[in-house]
C-alpha cells in the first residue's frame, strides 16, 4: 500500500468515524456503500438511497449515486472525478485515490463542513487593490525576467 492510499484510507476513516473493515481499500469501497455513507457525513442527505444488495448492478448504482452527489457539492473539477468501472472493476484505482485526495482537500470550501481534511489548507482569497499612482510607479521598476538564473552572467 503506497503513501497516498494510506492517507486516503486514514481520511475516510476519520470522516466515517470507524476503521475500514478490510486492509484492501478496493474491497472496502467496491460496493459504494462506504462512499455514500461518507458523503452523507460530509453533507447529510446528499445520497438519498443506498443499496445494501450484493447484486453488481446495485453496487455500481451506489458508486454512481456517490459520484452524482459529489458533483452536486460543486467543489471538484470533472478531471478530479473517476468512472464507476475505475472503482468497481479496479480499472484505474489510481484515479480513485486521486479523486479521494481532491475531495479531501476541497471539502474545506464547504461552509457547513468542519470535519477532517486531507492534504494542505487551501489558500484564502487575498485580492490586491493598487492605486493608479502605485501602478504607474511599478512601470519603472527594473525587471529581472531577461537576467536568467545567473543574474546577467554570461558564459564568456
Amino acid at each position: 500500500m503506497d503513501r497516498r492510499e494510506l492517507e486516503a484510507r486514514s481520511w475516510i476513516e476519520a470522516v466515517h468515524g470507524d476503521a475500514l473493515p478490510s486492509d484492501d481499500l478496493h474491497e472496502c469501497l467496491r460496493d459504494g456503500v462506504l462512499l455514500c455513507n461518507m458523503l452523507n457525513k460530509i453533507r447529510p442527505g446528499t445520497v438519498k438511497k443506498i443499496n445494501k444488495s450484493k447484486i453488481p448492478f446495485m453496487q455500481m448504482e451506489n458508486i454512481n449515486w456517490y459520484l452524482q452527489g459529489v458533483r452536486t457539492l460543486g467543489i471538484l473539477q470533472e478531471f478530479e472525478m473517476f468512472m464507476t468501472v475505475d472503482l468497481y472493476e479496479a480499472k484505474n484505482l489510481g484515479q480513485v485515490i486521486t479523486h479521494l485526495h481532491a475531495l479531501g482537500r476541497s471539502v474545506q470550501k464547504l461552509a457547513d463542513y468542519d470535519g477532517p481534511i486531507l492534504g494542505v489548507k487551501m489558500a484564502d482569497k487575498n485580492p490586491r487593490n493598487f492605486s493608479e499612482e502605485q501602478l504607474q510607479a511599478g512601470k519603472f521598476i527594473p525587471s529581472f525576467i531577461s537576467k536568467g538564473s545567473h543574474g546577467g552572467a554570461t558564459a564568456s
Side-chain angles (χ1 to χ4, degrees):
M1 201 178 311
D2 72 342
R3 178 185 56 84
R4 288 176 36 88
E5 185 175 335
L6 284 172
E7 291 170 348
R9 179 187 185 87
S10 295
W11 178 70
I12 291 168
E13 290 175 339
V15 171
H16 194 261
D18 292 320
L20 297 182
S22 166
D23 288 339
D24 184 358
L25 186 61
H26 171 249
E27 197 56 42
C28 293
L29 302 179
R30 186 172 186 251
D31 64 3
V33 172
L34 187 67
L35 289 172
C36 291
N37 287 332
M38 180 185 72
L39 192 56
N40 281 337
K41 297 246 181 176
I42 292 170
R43 176 157 297 153
T46 303
V47 179
K48 305 282 189 240
K49 180 183 174 194
I50 303 170
N51 294 312
K52 305 286 190 207
S53 173
K54 298 292 183 202
I55 299 171
F57 172 76
M58 298 295 217
Q59 293 177 343
M60 287 186 277
E61 196 171 57
N62 284 342
I63 297 168
N64 192 44
W65 284 334
Y66 163 79
L67 292 170
Q68 286 177 5
V70 169
R71 284 184 179 96
T72 65
L73 296 179
I75 57 174
L76 292 184
Q77 301 290 323
E78 194 58 35
F79 70 86
E80 295 172 308
M81 302 298 286
F82 64 90
M83 296 185 346
T84 301
V85 296
D86 290 342
L87 174 57
Y88 191 78
E89 296 178 6
K91 295 280 186 186
N92 191 352
L93 292 177
Q95 182 60 29
V96 175
I97 300 298
T98 298
H99 163 82
L100 291 169
H101 275 261
L103 180 62
R105 176 193 72 241
S106 298
V107 292
Q108 299 173 59
K109 297 178 188 176
L110 299 173
D112 57 344
Y113 179 76
D114 63 352
I117 61 167
L118 177 58
V120 298
K121 180 184 181 302
M122 295 181 72
D124 295 325
K125 193 178 247 187
N126 190 5
R128 306 297 202 277
N129 297 312
F130 295 107
S131 69
E132 190 60 38
E133 181 182 327
Q134 290 171 317
L135 292 173
Q136 291 303 319
K139 291 181 180 180
F140 301 108
I141 295 176
S143 168
F144 294 104
I145 289 177
S146 62
K147 300 294 185 189
S149 63
H150 301 291
T154 61
S156 57

